[in-house]
Amino acid sequence: MNKDLSISADEMVWQNRIFDSLSYPSVIISPDKTLVGANKKFYEAFNLSFNEIFGKKCYHTFLYKDTPCNSDQCTISKVIKDKKSHSFTLKHHYRWEERVFSPILDDNGDVAYVIGSIRDITRTKSLEGQLHGVKEFISRVIHSSASAIIAADRQGNINLMNSVAKELFGDYNGGEGKIKHTEQLYPPGKAKEIMGMLRNEKIGGAGKLLIPRTTIVNAHGKNIEVEMSAAIIYDEKGNESATMAIYNDLKDKIKIENELKMTQKQLSQSEKMASLGQLAAGVAHEINNPLTGILFYASLLLERKDIDESMVEDLGYILEDANRCKEIVKSLLVYSRSQGTKKNIVQLNDIVQQSLALIRDQKKFRNIKIKKALSDEMMLINADTSKLNQVLINLVINAADAMNGSGTITLTTYKEKAIGKVFLEIKDKGEGIPHENLSKIFDPFFTTKDVGKSTGLGLSIVYGLIEEHEAKISVKKTGSQGTTFIIEFPMYVASKDGLSLCKPYC
Ligand SMILES: Nc1ncnc2c1ncn2[C@@H]1O[C@H](COP(=O)(O)OP(=O)(O)O)[C@@H](O)[C@H]1O
Ligand SMILES: [Mg+2]
């Protein structure tokens, strides 16, 4: 060995023993990259003899090549230059090795030799690979989830947001998101409240929380209803290390719920009408016979010559009231649908014109202006003309009543091909319908008008007639500016095979 490192024979023996007892295969290399010694582990591991390595160049033995490395890349050159350890990893066949090179300094502090030891890191590398695979998999699961997922550190700084979360919170912003902290995800004060609930064992268990419906705020300040579940992530020692939350937008669920509520409301209205209809039909038939008698005998009496003036007047009242009853009975019979239906394919606008002609000369409409906004497109519906006339007359009379006999009523027709529907709207500038009455206006006998003036049967009859046309009626808008009723009919089209029901986009 180098004279600067000259040592006694005894020391030499000990140093060789120490070298041999190192658990990693190691070699001693001179600054000119020649191998000058190796420990027992090295000979065993590489199955080489002293003669096979002594005097060989390091690139022979270590890199399995005949030419020296580029000096910039040579780790041994770096060790000599820096007087510090350097290492690199290398894969040889299926084996991964970490090769660590350290300087052995002489008395002057110069590098006399370099000791290189080789560690087999195949297992560590394989575990690293597995860990990377698991990480990749978890990341793919998070990013391909249909739910929005957000994770934050203990201070609430957001460090993960999957693509659904970015979309839900509207936080694209060219990749540089505006949302950085969990407090930005909720209305003011809510984030703290959620953290409190999350830590509360009584709510969903410690570190867990499920809120079926809550509000979040997106990057544009808009409130969104979501279902959320949250959890605290603990490290292996059981300390809180992060939090995560999963959100599902309730938009579609709320829409379906509302539609269901509407359908239920319509169903219960139809059931109510059906049972009341049966009752009404029964009552109407029962009253009809005695009423005919009253009218008949009262008119007989009126024709007698031997009655005085005052009796004639009283009989006049009897006849008037009995006739009013007859009208009500007639309405009840219409309401109970005891009359047959004769439907034809007709132009909606024609029915509107016809109905308006029927009321034109009535006293009630003297100060009412009727504006027509009728689409000039072909709008065919399958209708019983006289029944639809009744519908329109009832609605127009109600509109005139709501305006106390003066103002403008607008009738609008249009169609929407995309959904295969034809629409008729009746708009007035009247007093509007109070919110609490909206669920009652289609009920038979519901009226807010003076007793004796109105029967409260108008809209219930309208409802029944509209149902007979597979159509729908509802209040589109109401308030102090007036009320708009809307009727939606299935649309028919003329094709070469005749007239047929229009499927959407027909
Ligand atoms: N266009 C309207 N504007 C305001 N209220 C209306 C309108 N149409 C109907 N209503 C309300 O609905 C009630 C029921 O109407 P309806 O069944 O036609 O009975 P009636 O006209 O005999 O009162 C009315 O009394 C009124 O309160
Ligand atoms: Mg009415």
Side-chain angles (χ1 to χ4, degrees):
M1 288 214 173
N2 192 303
K3 60 180 182 313
D4 290 323
L5 293 175
S6 58
I7 41 173
S8 71
D10 218 19
E11 276 176 323
M12 184 81 163
V13 171
W14 270 105
Q15 280 184 3
N16 274 339
R17 279 197 197 157
I18 293 167
F19 193 37
D20 281 342
S21 65
L22 291 179
S23 47
Y24 299 125
S26 306
V27 283
I28 306 285
I29 305 155
S30 68
D32 68 354
K33 322 269 171 78
T34 309
L35 302 183
V36 295
N39 70 353
K40 223 163 131 191
K41 270 270 168 354
F42 185 89
Y43 293 126
E44 281 167 13
F46 291 87
N47 201 16
L48 293 168
S49 65
F50 174 78
N51 287 335
E52 280 170 303
I53 68 151
F54 188 73
K56 291 271 167 17
K57 291 295 183 187
C58 60
Y59 46 82
H60 269 138
T61 314
F62 278 133
L63 300 173
Y64 320 101
K65 58 184 198 173
D66 295 328
T67 48
C69 306
N70 182 337
S71 65
D72 290 350
Q73 291 162 0
C74 173
T75 316
I76 295 165
S77 300
K78 280 190 213 161
V79 173
I80 295 167
K81 187 169 157 248
D82 300 345
K83 298 181 185 170
K84 271 197 329 205
S85 296
H86 282 280
S87 67
F88 65 88
T89 52
L90 171 129
K91 191 178 183 198
H92 184 54
H93 298 302
Y94 292 104
R95 203 176 124 96
W96 274 97
E97 290 173 358
E98 184 184 31
R99 296 181 174 179
V100 184
F101 296 89
S102 308
I104 301 173
L105 303 178
D106 61 18
D107 291 345
N108 302 325
D110 293 326
V111 177
Y113 294 98
V114 172
I115 177 167
S117 42
I118 300 164
R119 280 203 307 143
D120 182 347
I121 53 162
T122 312
R123 198 172 140 67
T124 318
K125 273 279 176 195
S126 130
L127 287 175
E128 240 176 56
Q130 282 176 27
L131 192 67
H132 182 73
V134 170
K135 269 189 174 164
E136 271 278 294
F137 177 71
I138 292 175
S139 161
R140 246 179 272 139
V141 168
I142 289 173
H143 289 284
S144 54
S145 162
S147 302
I149 301 176
I150 288 185
D153 66 14
R154 287 181 55 199
Q155 283 72 40
N157 301 308
I158 290 170
N159 44 28
L160 182 146
M161 230 174 159
N162 72 351
S163 54
V164 181
K166 284 181 184 164
E167 206 169 309
L168 176 69
F169 285 90
D171 199 35
Y172 274 122
N173 252 8
E176 203 12 65
K178 270 199 241 170
I179 297 178
K180 308 248 184 263
H181 199 273
T182 46
E183 277 180 5
Q184 291 171 272
L185 303 174
Y186 308 98
K190 187 75 177 269
K192 269 211 177 78
E193 193 190 314
I194 287 177
M195 278 317 287
M197 290 199 276
L198 198 47
R199 295 201 178 99
N200 189 336
E201 254 181 68
K202 289 187 188 131
I203 312 175
K208 289 194 178 68
L209 180 66
L210 178 77
I211 311 179
R213 191 157 174 173
T214 189
T215 308
I216 53 156
V217 180
N218 76 2
H220 313 290
K222 193 178 149 215
N223 286 359
I224 300 169
E225 296 293 293
V226 295
E227 167 200 77
M228 88 172 261
S229 61
I232 295 176
I233 301 168
Y234 297 96
D235 63 17
E236 61 273 21
K237 288 184 196 131
N239 298 320
E240 280 181 26
S241 68
T243 54
M244 69 159 302
I246 300 176
Y247 307 86
N248 287 308
D249 193 343
L250 289 178
K251 189 171 64 225
D252 293 336
K253 207 173 152 193
I254 292 172
K255 196 172 152 220
I256 292 170
E257 268 174 21
N258 286 344
E259 279 171 5
L260 206 69
K261 263 192 220 150
M262 272 301 285
T263 315
Q264 275 169 348
K265 224 163 120 187
Q266 271 169 2
L267 261 177
S268 67
Q269 179 72 15
S270 303
E271 273 170 20
K272 198 159 69 180
M273 307 283 274
S275 54
L276 276 165
Q278 283 172 1
L279 191 72
V283 172
H285 280 294
E286 285 303 313
I287 292 176
N288 223 6
N289 290 342
L291 199 57
T292 315
I294 293 170
L295 279 165
F296 177 68
Y297 289 110
S299 10
L300 271 189
L301 270 176
L302 202 58
E303 280 169 20
R304 274 170 60 167
K305 303 278 177 276
D306 56 340
I307 53 171
D308 62 34
E309 200 72 353
S310 67
M311 267 180 90
V312 170
E313 198 178 327
D314 291 347
L315 278 170
Y317 291 139
I318 291 176
L319 274 171
E320 198 180 304
D321 280 354
N323 269 317
R324 232 178 79 73
C325 288
K326 204 175 131 190
E327 283 305 307
I328 295 179
V329 165
K330 225 164 90 187
S331 299
L332 277 174
L333 286 173
V334 173
Y335 167 66
S336 63
R337 291 175 226 169
S338 51
Q339 293 167 344
T341 311
K342 280 188 276 90
K343 282 197 211 158
N344 288 306
I345 304 291
V346 285
Q347 234 299 31
L348 176 63
N349 286 351
D350 292 345
I351 294 186
V352 175
Q353 304 280 21
Q354 243 181 52
S355 307
L356 293 182
L358 286 171
I359 54 167
R360 197 172 38 208
D361 301 321
Q362 284 195 22
K363 224 169 50 200
K364 207 185 218 4
F365 294 96
R366 200 169 295 147
N367 296 319
I368 299 269
K369 190 171 168 245
I370 296 186
K371 222 165 94 182
K372 287 178 279 185
L374 309 180
S375 157
D376 46 18
E377 281 187 289
M378 196 62 168
M379 288 177 299
L380 296 178
I381 58 169
N382 189 18
D384 179 322
T385 312
S386 74
K387 290 190 173 181
L388 275 198
N389 282 337
Q390 265 191 68
V391 166
L392 258 141
I393 292 168
N394 265 304
L395 292 172
V396 174
I397 290 175
N398 278 350
D401 284 346
M403 298 192 297
N404 282 321
S406 73
T408 308
I409 298 172
T410 312
L411 297 173
T412 311
T413 58
Y414 57 97
K415 68 176 178 187
E416 271 184 33
K417 264 194 179 169
I419 50 171
K421 303 281 181 206
V422 173
F423 294 90
L424 166 62
E425 290 187 13
I426 299 99
K427 181 178 164 196
D428 64 56
K429 297 195 168 183
E431 60 201 8
I433 305 171
H435 188 74
E436 64 273 18
N437 287 353
L438 274 174
S439 60
K440 301 182 217 154
I441 53 168
F442 293 106
D443 289 354
F445 304 111
F446 175 78
T447 180
T448 53
K449 296 168 195 173
D450 291 343
V451 187
K453 207 175 156 201
S454 245
T455 58
L457 279 172
L459 283 184
S460 59
I461 289 172
V462 164
Y463 195 93
L465 295 176
I466 286 298
E467 269 200 331
E468 282 181 41
H469 287 81
E470 279 95 46
K472 279 186 202 150
I473 181 164
S474 57
V475 174
K476 185 182 179 187
K477 207 175 156 190
T478 187
S480 57
Q481 304 294 308
T483 303
T484 306
F485 277 85
I486 180 167
I487 307 174
E488 173 191 314
F489 295 97
M491 179 164 117
Y492 281 75
V493 278
S495 64
K496 57 180 186 316
D497 311 320
L499 295 161
S500 59
L501 188 64
C502 165
K503 298 276 167 347
Y505 291 107
C506 58

